[in-house]
């Protein structure tokens, strides 16, 4: 899978969805292709400078690459994803899951069913046989299963909100509301010879 393949598939799906649909998506790299990708340290310095010039920003060409990238980081939060923009054009919204929270993504449970089917039935390890096992595994995931996966992820989210509430309450007890800054003063040396 890559950004172009996913984009083509996504564009084919959008007309099938109702207006104002919310599309829940994880942060796989191919879901997050940028409209105007920001430079990284992997870019050559002249390309970074060109990126800035394309934005009508004058930069000192004598700046070192690291400083140019630091300047990029200041505006990086404004980058838009190709997928998000395409959804917006068709009156849909993309809601992105937080990174590293696969338990909030029902598709992970569906993939688990598919992968288990392949694992339990793969005896030949031939590509065509594995492809057929994948197709069979996908067909094993019923609408009822998907509904249960969604219910399960909602319960997981509720647990996370509960943990956050408990954490906030504990922190409120530990840190008085009038004191939001913890100040440490005095000697912090662990040398006991003093």
């Amino acid at each position: 899978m890559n950004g172009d393949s996913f984009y083509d598939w996504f564009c084919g799906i959008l007309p099938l969805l109702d207006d104002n649909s919310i599309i829940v998506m994880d942060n796989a790299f191919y879901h997050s292709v940028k409209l105007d990708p920001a430079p990284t340290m992997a870019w050559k310095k002249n390309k970074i400078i060109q990126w800035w010039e394309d934005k009508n920003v004058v930069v000192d060409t004598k700046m070192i690459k690291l400083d140019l990238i630091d300047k990029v980081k200041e505006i990086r939060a404004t980058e838009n994803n190709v997928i998000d923009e395409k959804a917006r054009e068709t009156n849909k919204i993309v809601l992105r899951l937080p990174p590293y929270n696969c338990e909030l993504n029902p598709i992970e449970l569906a993939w688990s069913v598919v992968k288990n089917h392949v694992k339990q039935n793969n005896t030949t390890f031939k590509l065509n046989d594995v492809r057929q096992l994948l197709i069979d595994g996908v067909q094993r995931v019923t609408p009822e299963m998907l509904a249960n996966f969604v219910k399960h992820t909602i319960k997981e989210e509720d647990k996370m909100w509960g943990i956050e509430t408990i954490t906030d309450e504990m922190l409120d007890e530990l840190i008085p509301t009038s004191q939001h800054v913890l100040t440490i003063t005095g000697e912090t040396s662990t040398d006991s010879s003093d």
Side-chain angles (χ1 to χ4, degrees), residues 36-48:
D36 180 21
T40 66
M41 284 301 285
W43 287 33
K44 295 195 180 294
K45 182 180 175 180
N46 63 337
K47 293 289 185 191
I48 299 170

Side-chain angles (χ1 to χ4, degrees), residues 38-40 48 51-52 67-77 79:
T40 66
I48 299 170
W51 184 84
W52 277 113
D67 290 339
L68 288 167
I69 292 296
D70 283 343
K71 191 172 174 66
V72 168
K73 289 177 184 174
E74 292 172 14
I75 66 159
R76 194 168 209 171
E79 290 180 308

Side-chain angles (χ1 to χ4, degrees), residues 46-169:
N46 63 337
K47 293 289 185 191
I48 299 170
I49 292 169
Q50 182 63 53
W51 184 84
W52 277 113
E53 289 173 353
D54 290 346
K55 296 185 173 347
N56 297 318
V57 175
V58 178
V59 292
D60 181 357
T61 57
K62 293 178 185 171
M63 287 175 72
I64 63 170
K65 189 175 177 180
L66 185 61
D67 290 339
L68 288 167
I69 292 296
D70 283 343
K71 191 172 174 66
V72 168
K73 289 177 184 174
E74 292 172 14
I75 66 159
R76 194 168 209 171
T78 62
E79 290 180 308
N80 291 324
N81 291 323
V82 173
I83 294 299
D84 297 39
E85 290 300 314
K86 189 64 177 176
R88 202 171 292 121
E89 288 172 13
T90 62
N91 205 24
K92 280 102 179 152
I93 297 168
V94 172
L95 175 65
R96 293 187 176 274
L97 295 171
Y100 312 110
N101 282 273
C102 59
E103 65 275 9
L104 297 177
N105 192 349
I107 196 68
E108 296 295 339
L109 296 168
W111 275 122
S112 157
V113 170
V114 174
K115 289 189 284 187
N116 276 335
H117 176 75
V118 172
K119 180 180 174 183
Q120 290 173 354
N121 296 289
N122 188 11
T123 56
T124 67
F125 300 94
K126 294 180 181 173
L127 186 57
N128 285 335
D129 294 343
V130 172
R131 182 178 291 124
Q132 187 58 51
L133 288 171
L134 282 170
I135 292 167
D136 296 343
V138 168
Q139 291 173 349
R140 294 176 65 91
V141 179
T142 65
E144 294 79 20
M145 290 171 80
L146 285 173
N148 285 331
F149 296 158
V150 170
K151 287 177 189 172
H152 177 78
T153 56
I154 290 170
K155 287 178 186 174
E156 289 298 312
E157 181 183 15
D158 290 344
K159 282 184 203 173
M160 288 184 172
W161 282 115
I163 291 169
E164 183 172 338
T165 300
I166 292 168
T167 304
D168 287 346
E169 290 169 358

